[in-house]
Amino acid sequence: MAAPMLRWGCRGRRWAFARVDGGSCHRRGAPTGSTSNQIRGESSVAQQPLHTAQKTRKGEHKWAAVVGLEIHAQISSNSKLFSGSQVRFSAPPNSLVSFFDASLPGTLPVLNRRCVEAAVMTGLALNCHINKKSLFDRKHYFYADLPAGYQITQQRLPIAVNGSLIYGVCAGKKQSQVIPKTVRIKQIQLEQDSGKSLHDNLRSQTLIDLNRAGVGLLEVVLEPDMSCGEEAATAVRELQLILQALGTSQANMAEGQLRVDANISVHHPGEPLGVRTEVKNLNSIRFLAKAIDYEIQRQINELENGGEILNETRSFHHKLGCTMSMRDKEGKQDYRFMPEPNLPPLVLYDATSLPAGADPQQVINIDQIRETLPELPSVTREKLVQQYGMLLEHSFTLLVMDVKNRNPRAINKLIGLVRKATQSRADPVMIKEILEKKLSL
């Protein structure tokens, strides 16, 4: 079957820096599965936050926590995944909506080439296997900001599978030792975003903004190989830096361009895995770490007090510092997945399978995209250590440091801090050069 028609979209590129707040880790157990349910709602009753973790008493069993993540990254493209509508943050409500976005009868999807290239590039950077043939599916659920009543995604055969993400966690008494860790990537899939619901409690009504409806997303599903909020936060920060270096997503969490769902469970080592809860729509690295650590301790306290953990979806209340129940997941939700009838299989090629005389505008060459991969954050950190005499732990700090005022004064101040912290022979001129050129400050 012929490959679907592709549209051109423009890529964006931006570096960003942020600081990762750490927390204490719980002992890791065996992994649990992950889910991709899209469940909405909010509880009006908040639980009281837990402020401190109880120490294990002598003779008591230790607990192991298991954490898996589902990360939704908005693709940097001028237009949406299946329509020509412009993508722009903070546009007037419902001003960037095409007939297809509004699901008017007779409208058909046209796949955005830029979004496919972004997915392939991200998969290659994360050591994934790129499927030369992937499929689109309809995921049915009914909500006001989803006019069609279904979401186009890749449930059966995603575009990339079986990757890995390497990140470093600071350890030691002075947090001066960086321990490399690896989390497996189950899959990366293309899907369209939904609209946005604006709840007006004063007027008891909900307003719908469809500007975001149909925007291209990369869903990155991480296997449950983590054990605490600090590990999860550091892994997401590393992925954020990679996406920004590639230019496939600006990954600005404040603008909703990177959203995380966390699946969490606890159990005694050597015993069957515990019941899992899902904390939805975490849009801050700091809140992600706090929500996971709170939920781990909540489950431990609940089980030690003779209670049971419900298979449910929860949200994180950042002001109270606790998670709240949204709705239970005991009953299996039927999304009635079906093949998308208006999109043929997505076919990709490499140098060996590229047909002779193929139109370069209508085919995507995996090997050609591989050759255009930019320098990744891990390589930049290695250069900072090898070429500029910087300590490894400080190279991590430099790449995630939040520099809001990008001016010479801020750069010079940062150079002084780095040089003082390294206590090495690092040349400040060389550090300034890599800050300005390599990190685009």
Side-chain angles (χ1 to χ4, degrees):
M1 186 177 293
M5 184 180 297
L6 300 174
R7 291 186 294 102
W8 281 97
C10 297
R11 61 184 294 178
R13 184 166 185 174
R14 185 176 67 89
W15 276 92
F17 303 83
R19 185 177 293 104
V20 177
D21 293 331
S24 60
C25 288
H26 297 259
R27 186 170 300 210
R28 184 186 307 173
T32 61
S34 57
T35 60
S36 58
N37 294 342
Q38 185 157 354
I39 302 177
R40 304 165 186 255
E42 185 175 0
S43 172
S44 59
V45 180
Q47 296 182 356
Q48 295 299 319
L50 302 179
H51 298 287
T52 58
Q54 297 179 358
K55 296 183 179 180
T56 304
R57 298 177 182 177
K58 186 176 181 180
E60 290 183 341
H61 294 290
K62 293 182 179 179
W63 292 96
V66 182
V67 179
L69 301 178
E70 299 166 11
I71 304 169
H72 296 83
Q74 179 179 315
I75 300 173
S76 293
S77 175
N78 282 346
S79 57
K80 298 182 180 180
L81 182 57
F82 297 117
S83 76
S85 297
Q86 187 179 358
V87 177
R88 191 173 78 249
F89 181 70
S90 296
N94 296 309
S95 61
L96 305 176
V97 185
S98 69
F99 292 152
F100 177 80
D101 302 330
S103 300
L104 295 187
T107 55
L108 296 174
V110 179
L111 184 58
N112 187 338
R113 178 191 182 98
R114 160 61 187 159
C115 294
V116 178
E117 290 177 336
V120 173
M121 182 176 290
T122 302
L124 292 174
L126 295 175
N127 309 305
C128 292
H129 169 72
I130 307 298
N131 288 321
K132 293 183 180 179
K133 178 182 178 181
S134 58
L135 305 172
F136 288 98
D137 305 278
R138 289 185 178 183
K139 177 183 178 181
H140 293 83
Y141 66 95
F142 299 97
Y143 203 76
D145 58 21
L146 193 69
Y150 61 85
Q151 175 192 39
I152 300 179
T153 182
Q154 292 187 309
Q155 187 262 347
R156 291 172 295 163
L157 189 59
I159 195 169
V161 295
N162 300 332
S164 62
L165 173 64
I166 301 175
Y167 61 100
V169 176
C170 294
K173 294 182 179 180
K174 297 182 178 180
Q175 298 289 299
S176 60
Q177 182 183 3
V178 178
I179 301 176
K181 291 181 176 289
T182 302
V183 57
R184 294 169 298 158
I185 297 176
K186 180 180 180 181
Q187 64 187 53
I188 300 176
Q189 61 192 47
L190 281 166
E191 63 183 23
Q192 59 179 171
D193 205 348
S194 60
K196 185 176 181 180
S197 296
L198 306 173
H199 302 287
D200 188 345
N201 295 327
L202 295 178
R203 300 181 181 179
S204 299
Q205 61 183 4
T206 297
L207 306 177
I208 303 299
D209 181 9
L210 294 181
N211 281 347
R212 201 175 65 185
V215 171
L217 296 179
L218 290 175
E219 181 176 357
V220 183
V221 181
L222 304 185
E223 296 282 9
D225 296 337
M226 294 161 285
S227 60
C228 66
E230 181 186 10
E231 287 190 11
T234 309
V236 172
R237 166 55 69 199
E238 184 69 15
L239 177 61
Q240 187 179 42
L241 290 175
I242 291 174
L243 294 173
Q244 292 168 346
L246 296 173
T248 55
S249 175
Q250 294 184 7
N252 187 338
M253 301 188 79
E255 296 182 1
Q257 296 170 350
L258 193 71
R259 304 187 295 265
V260 184
D261 301 335
N263 295 283
I264 306 156
S265 69
V266 298
H267 67 286
H268 293 302
E271 297 183 1
L273 300 178
V275 177
R276 178 183 60 212
T277 62
E278 183 181 24
V279 183
K280 298 284 290 185
N281 294 327
L282 297 165
N283 60 356
S284 162
I285 297 287
R286 183 163 56 94
F287 294 159
L288 170 66
K290 287 186 175 182
I292 291 174
D293 288 337
Y294 173 90
E295 183 61 19
I296 290 172
Q297 191 59 53
R298 185 194 71 83
Q299 293 187 20
I300 293 174
N301 290 348
E302 185 73 22
L303 293 172
E304 288 183 344
N305 291 328
E308 62 177 351
I309 304 302
L310 299 178
N311 184 13
E312 62 181 352
T313 299
R314 304 178 69 87
S315 64
F316 180 69
H317 197 296
H318 67 276
K319 292 183 179 179
L320 297 178
C322 66
T323 61
M324 304 182 301
S325 178
M326 296 170 64
R327 65 177 66 183
D328 69 83
K329 297 166 62 175
E330 295 295 338
K332 183 178 179 180
Q333 187 164 355
D334 185 10
Y335 289 111
R336 294 182 297 124
F337 283 103
M338 61 169 285
E340 169 55 53
N342 296 322
L343 286 170
L346 174 60
V347 179
L348 308 178
Y349 302 91
D350 57 17
T352 59
S353 62
L354 188 66
D359 185 357
Q361 302 293 330
Q362 292 297 316
V363 297
I364 291 179
N365 190 332
I366 300 173
D367 292 332
Q368 188 176 16
I369 295 177
R370 193 192 310 271
E371 295 174 357
T372 63
L373 288 177
E375 182 177 284
L376 297 179
S378 58
V379 179
T380 304
R381 282 193 294 264
E382 185 177 353
K383 285 187 176 181
L384 287 170
V385 174
Q386 299 295 332
Q387 298 182 15
Y388 300 97
M390 189 175 295
L391 297 180
L392 179 60
E393 59 267 24
H394 296 133
S395 69
F396 276 86
T397 303
L398 177 61
L399 279 184
V400 300
M401 188 169 290
D402 186 11
V403 182
K404 296 182 179 179
N405 299 317
R406 300 184 178 183
N407 52 50
R409 182 177 179 183
I411 294 175
N412 290 331
K413 182 178 180 181
L414 183 57
I415 292 172
L417 291 173
V418 172
R419 189 185 184 190
K420 182 178 180 181
T422 58
Q423 296 179 354
S424 65
R425 297 180 179 179
D427 187 345
V429 177
M430 292 183 179
I431 296 177
K432 183 174 182 179
E433 178 184 346
I434 197 168
L435 283 172
E436 293 178 338
K437 294 183 178 180
K438 296 296 184 182
L439 308 182
S440 303
L441 283 176

